[in-house]
Amino acid sequence: METFLSAAQRQVAIQVSDASGVGAARRLVADFSRQANLDETAAGSAALVATEAASNIVKHAGKGEILVRPVYSGTTAGIEILAIDTGPGIANLAHSIEDGATTAGSYGIGLGAMRRTADAFDIYTARDQGTVIAMTIYGRSGTRGNCAVQLGAVCLPMPGETICGDAWALAAGPTQATLLVADGLGHGPLAAEASEMAAGIMAANPALPPGPAMQDIHLALRATRGAAVAVAQLDLLANRVDFAGIGNIMASIYDKEIRRQMVSHNGIVGSNMHRVQEFSQDWLPDSVLLLCSDGLGTRWDLNQYPGLVRHHPSVVAGILYRDFVRGRDDVSVLVIRERQD
């Protein structure tokens, strides 16, 4: 079973509105490539797609963000790049994504180069709403993993902070996955200590059901300021999701247009956790599971975005972050679905 922790995959966001933002995005990707020990070819590919993505934001949207984080699959390291804007969108995506398409107003060769260069590529665009592009470039060494699910995550500190008080974790094998989102009380290092401890406890014993896992996390967090925590466990053989939550972590399952909410009880894990209750929901092959901290507004609905639920979880997370981030709190958006490839 592979384990993924936000502490090892921290995102950094770069604001892009001019050429300096393009350069900053390229340098950030280069830094991440060195930290991940990517080979020269992969590092060059990552720099190329980051430059193209940031340049397109400046040319066609005016301003936006580039989010970068390291990713891992088996023993292979990589870089994920999210390009996010609220520009005019792409009127003819099929034409614009072709290499050599340079009609005024299209994204031209940039999109084609990005799709061809990235190991994974997905895009969602809507007229007058903007565009989100998710790309992953992996190193050429190592062996890729065999997880049951695809993951999308945005986890960023509130503006003005450098340390995020939210954390997430995912442990996944061929037929099971356990995921957690934790929101440490307040902001900064002490909030991060609580949330990352919760993530580490879950990751150390991912087979434990959500209810008992919450009890273990509660005991461990008594020495911290506490956190809101939600744990979900997906069993693809039983076609079921088990869930337990305490505090303001929103959890939803989407089956095409149908949304099912999962219930968290009031309290603070590590402090006044009075009741833990597990809930079970059916899981379908096209289900999508979302866990969000309260740094994201609550008035979102994937049905507002035609076809979005079928896109890669990273694109879904990027859209929700773009349109519903509160901007006055740390924010986490975790999205998973069964692997499609």
Side-chain angles (χ1 to χ4, degrees):
M1 183 172 283
E2 288 190 80
T3 300
F4 309 90
L5 294 167
S6 59
Q9 300 189 38
R10 285 293 186 202
Q11 270 166 324
V12 176
I14 295 291
Q15 302 295 319
V16 177
S17 59
D18 54 28
S20 65
V22 177
R26 183 172 57 248
R27 290 190 295 273
L28 177 64
V29 167
D31 289 342
F32 272 100
S33 296
R34 285 192 291 271
Q35 293 170 23
N37 293 316
L38 294 192
D39 56 90
E40 184 176 348
T41 299
S45 296
L48 171 64
V49 299
T51 302
E52 292 286 357
S55 297
N56 278 339
I57 288 175
V58 174
K59 292 178 195 174
H60 303 288
K63 63 180 180 178
E65 285 184 271
I66 298 290
L67 274 55
V68 183
R69 70 182 178 100
V71 294
Y72 303 93
S73 177
T75 59
T76 303
I79 303 291
E80 181 190 75
I81 299 166
L82 277 177
I84 300 172
D85 71 63
T86 55
I90 305 172
N92 188 338
L93 179 60
H95 173 72
S96 298
I97 208 166
E98 295 176 2
D99 279 346
T102 56
T103 302
S106 80
Y107 270 50
I109 195 169
L111 276 183
M114 287 187 280
R115 182 176 66 169
R116 186 180 65 251
T117 303
D119 295 301
F121 177 95
D122 195 15
I123 181 171
Y124 185 87
T125 187
R127 186 182 293 273
D128 299 325
Q129 294 182 24
T131 301
V132 170
I133 304 171
M135 298 167 287
T136 305
I137 297 89
Y138 285 105
R140 303 299 176 251
S141 61
T143 302
R144 298 282 287 274
N146 184 29
C147 290
V149 297
Q150 292 176 319
L151 165 73
V154 171
C155 186
L156 292 168
M158 67 179 291
E161 297 279 353
T162 58
I163 297 176
C164 185
D166 289 1
W168 59 264
L170 170 69
T175 62
Q176 285 190 319
T178 304
L179 60 154
L180 169 147
V181 168
D183 178 359
L185 264 63
H187 312 287
L190 294 179
E193 177 190 17
S195 62
E196 290 177 7
M197 184 178 293
I201 295 296
M202 187 283 283
N205 192 1
L208 201 63
M214 291 289 285
Q215 296 287 357
D216 283 359
I217 294 168
H218 176 62
L219 292 174
L221 264 58
R222 283 184 171 174
T224 74
R225 60 171 54 179
V229 180
V231 179
Q233 192 167 72
L234 168 62
D235 187 333
L236 296 179
L237 297 180
N239 297 314
R240 189 183 75 244
V241 178
D242 297 325
F243 174 83
I246 299 291
N248 293 327
I249 305 295
M250 178 180 286
S252 300
I253 297 175
Y254 272 84
D255 300 312
K256 297 181 179 178
E257 292 80 23
I258 300 173
R259 180 181 185 177
R260 292 178 277 145
Q261 292 285 116
M262 291 182 284
V263 178
S264 290
H265 288 294
N266 293 329
I268 302 171
V269 180
S271 178
N272 60 338
M273 189 180 80
H274 301 299
R275 182 187 184 197
V276 177
Q277 186 176 2
E278 278 192 26
F279 298 91
S280 295
Q281 295 274 4
D282 292 335
W283 180 264
L284 304 176
D286 56 0
S287 293
V288 177
L289 175 62
L290 302 96
L291 299 181
C292 311
S293 71
D294 64 357
L296 198 76
T298 59
R299 296 187 176 182
W300 53 266
D301 183 353
L302 296 190
N303 293 322
Q304 296 173 349
Y305 305 90
L308 177 60
V309 74
R310 296 189 295 272
H311 281 262
H312 191 281
S314 292
V315 172
V316 178
I319 291 281
L320 293 180
Y321 162 74
R322 181 194 68 185
D323 292 350
F324 295 97
V325 64
R326 295 185 188 274
R328 58 180 186 271
D329 200 355
D330 306 315
V331 61
S332 291
V333 186
L334 197 67
V335 185
I336 66 163
R337 67 179 304 154
E338 288 188 49
R339 183 166 294 282
Q340 303 296 299
D341 50 28

